[in-house]
Amino acid sequence: MKNKTIYILLTLILIFSACEDTLEQQFSDNVEVSDAVVDLNSLNLAANGSYSLFADTDVYNRTLMLLPEILSDNAFIDAFDNTGRYLDFDLYTVNSNNRFITPAWEDLTRIIASTSIIIRKAESISFPESEQEDAEQYIGEMYALRALAFHNLQLLFAQPYNFTSDASHLGVPIPNFTTLGDGGTIQEPGRSTTAEVYIQIENDLLKAIGLMKAKSSPSRMDVYAAKALLARIYLHMEDWRKASDTATEVIENSGNKLLENQEYIASWTLDNNSETLFTLVNNETDNSGTSSIGYFYLTYKDAFATDDFVNTLSNTDVRKELYSVDDGVNLVEKFPKVAAQDDNIQILRLSEIYLIKAEAHAQLNENIDAQQALDAIIQRADPTAAVSTETGQVLIDKVILERRKELAYEGFRLYDLTRYRMTFNKFLQDGDPIIISAPENRTIMPIPIDEINVNPNIANQQNPGY
């Protein structure tokens, strides 16, 4: 996916999607895109460039994976020997000038801009009939990546979907897609409602699914990866029936299979495996190097798993092997390839889809279906575990606990806590825990001050407490 050819295209994409520091500039363009996407080959290369934007330290190669763990009950920063990064998150003292939040905002809005421009240009091209299916596949991938970027932006900067009864609370900005990259229009969008953002995400994914026909490499979005992401979106929207149906379709028809117990630990050293629906590729010559998430956990040893988390895993649970004890602290070993620094980042795994199915069925009081989906994950990890018999809220709680165990350090925990309005302890290495009572302003990030200062339509829409 990521090589010298793609980086030439990526440079071009960054030019026409703007490389400045504000949303106004990310969503603006002063260069005609017609010279960038003109045929199937250039469309494919432009699509590859959009994937590369996700594989950045400020996106999935570190920040998006780390923050939901540091801000939750799963991880803490080494208080005695650290590199000074992410300390504000560990202490819940983040402000609107934070040096990690600003680039995350910039990169995600840049992805939204670049994918939107690619979509609009590609949809204006009349491809030969022999190329039409491939063109639709690439365009579908761009719709899916735009949805993924919107979802991550929403998770970071807005309260969960159920924060208000009709999701009318502030979400993230949605630009005018019809004028992005039209050669000079400056966009200064205010924040849309959360309901509007999720409608946009759902529509993008449905469009993607309608365009994409084939199952492809796990390093590219395909129809089942898009459906898996859609199941995740329906879970956040609490549309339990659509979540269960979509998850079931992925499980039954994608061709992906759960790993066996004996394969599980080694799978984290592989580029992909039988569960991988979508992964971001890093290779030995093209990766985030010492800024990668694996380097952060295993070489710098800046952050560790909490005892509270590790103690949820029984001694017969294979996943406990991923959290070895080193000088009294628990290492996180889901990103073990620190020598080559080329861990792929697993974005969509079949394990998550089973847990979406379990949670949705539990919420619908379809207990047998929920128990069976849940036990597929529990008993794969721990063959000695008893069959689930719980129902009602106890069953839902068990699913959320299993999500904590299975999806740990993959960027989920904080969002599970906030969407269920769970009060939790934010553990520190050298002090009493910080009690985070739900709902809490500080579990969402501030709109960067640079954006507040230049965009009049968002200037009065800062998140509370910042």
Side-chain angles (χ1 to χ4, degrees), residues 71 92 94 101 154-160 163 169-170 191 414-415 418 440-447 462-464 466:
L71 287 165
Y92 264 76
V94 175
I101 287 302
Q154 180 74 20
L155 290 174
L156 277 178
F157 295 100
Q159 292 285 4
F163 183 71
H169 56 288
L170 288 175
R191 297 174 68 177
L414 178 68
Y415 309 128
T418 56
E440 164 65 60
N441 292 333
R442 294 174 295 171
T443 56
I444 61 172
M445 299 298 99
I447 307 300
Q462 180 60 280
N463 285 322
Y466 295 106

Side-chain angles (χ1 to χ4, degrees), residues 37-40 43 122-123 125-132 135 139:
V37 180
V38 296
D39 56 19
L40 186 67
L43 171 58
E123 290 182 336
I125 298 173
S126 180
F127 292 96
E129 184 176 351
S130 61
E131 297 178 352
Q132 188 63 37
I139 296 169

Side-chain angles (χ1 to χ4, degrees), residues 57-77 83 85-87 89-90 100 156 291-297 302-305 332 335 345 408-415 426:
T57 297
D58 297 309
V59 191
Y60 271 119
N61 269 6
R62 193 175 65 199
T63 294
L64 293 189
M65 303 293 278
L66 182 64
L67 293 192
E69 312 302 330
I70 292 294
L71 287 165
S72 75
D73 50 4
N74 270 6
F76 60 83
I77 299 289
T83 58
R85 295 171 296 180
Y86 299 97
L87 288 171
F89 301 93
D90 195 50
F100 297 107
L156 277 178
S291 294
S292 68
I293 185 69
Y295 225 77
F296 190 84
Y297 279 128
D302 264 12
F304 306 107
V332 175
F335 312 97
I345 305 298
Y409 311 100
E410 298 176 57
F412 291 92
R413 179 58 176 168
L414 178 68
Y415 309 128
K426 161 55 201 163

Side-chain angles (χ1 to χ4, degrees), residues 355-392:
L355 291 167
I356 289 172
K357 177 177 170 64
E359 183 179 345
H361 282 305
Q363 288 283 359
L364 292 166
N365 293 313
E366 296 169 351
N367 296 318
I368 293 176
D369 287 336
Q371 293 161 358
Q372 289 176 345
L374 179 60
D375 284 345
I377 303 302
I378 292 177
Q379 294 182 327
R380 183 273 302 278
D382 184 357
T384 70
V387 172
S388 294
T389 58
E390 297 86 352
T391 61

Side-chain angles (χ1 to χ4, degrees), residues 73-307:
D73 50 4
N74 270 6
F76 60 83
I77 299 289
D78 188 329
F80 307 110
D81 183 16
N82 62 70
T83 58
R85 295 171 296 180
Y86 299 97
L87 288 171
D88 292 348
F89 301 93
D90 195 50
L91 298 172
Y92 264 76
T93 57
V94 175
N95 61 42
S96 59
N97 200 33
N98 183 273
R99 65 186 175 117
F100 297 107
I101 287 302
T102 298
W105 172 276
E106 292 170 355
D107 284 355
L108 289 168
T109 54
R110 183 176 294 128
I111 292 167
I112 292 168
S114 66
T115 52
S116 299
I117 293 168
I118 294 167
I119 288 167
R120 195 177 77 236
K121 177 56 188 174
E123 290 182 336
S124 73
I125 298 173
S126 180
F127 292 96
E129 184 176 351
S130 61
E131 297 178 352
Q132 188 63 37
E133 185 171 318
D134 286 341
E136 290 180 354
Q137 173 70 27
Y138 300 148
I139 296 169
E141 291 175 34
M142 295 301 94
Y143 276 107
L145 291 187
R146 186 168 75 182
L148 182 62
F150 265 123
H151 184 50
N152 279 293
L153 198 66
Q154 180 74 20
L155 290 174
L156 277 178
F157 295 100
Q159 292 285 4
Y161 190 89
N162 62 7
F163 183 71
T164 52
S165 60
D166 57 356
S168 60
H169 56 288
L170 288 175
V172 298
I174 301 175
N176 183 341
F177 301 126
T178 63
T179 60
L180 271 176
D182 68 356
T185 301
I186 301 298
Q187 294 208 21
E188 300 172 334
R191 297 174 68 177
S192 301
T193 68
T194 289
E196 291 169 334
V197 175
Y198 274 88
I199 289 170
Q200 178 64 51
I201 294 170
E202 180 186 17
N203 287 341
D204 275 354
L205 288 172
L206 291 173
K207 182 74 171 178
I209 291 165
L211 286 167
M212 295 188 291
K213 304 297 189 295
K215 186 172 176 61
S216 65
S217 162
S219 65
R220 299 286 289 249
M221 274 283 189
D222 64 19
V223 64
Y224 288 108
K227 288 180 179 181
L229 181 55
L230 184 59
R232 182 189 293 179
I233 297 305
Y234 286 141
L235 192 80
H236 281 265
M237 295 174 70
E238 298 187 342
D239 191 330
W240 306 117
R241 177 54 63 205
K242 287 183 179 178
S244 65
D245 288 350
T246 308
T248 298
E249 184 177 359
V250 174
I251 291 167
E252 292 182 351
N253 298 325
S254 67
N256 293 77
K257 302 295 181 185
L258 288 179
L259 292 160
E260 299 293 333
N261 174 277
Q262 65 271 19
E263 300 173 312
Y264 188 81
I265 297 300
S267 72
W268 293 100
T269 67
L270 304 176
D271 289 340
N272 57 76
N273 57 67
S274 65
E275 286 193 21
T276 306
L277 291 157
F278 175 49
T279 186
L280 284 175
V281 172
N282 290 291
N283 59 48
E284 290 192 21
T285 59
D286 178 17
N287 55 65
S288 291
T290 59
S291 294
S292 68
I293 185 69
Y295 225 77
F296 190 84
Y297 279 128
L298 291 177
T299 301
Y300 290 120
K301 297 183 180 178
D302 264 12
F304 306 107
T306 62
D307 288 341

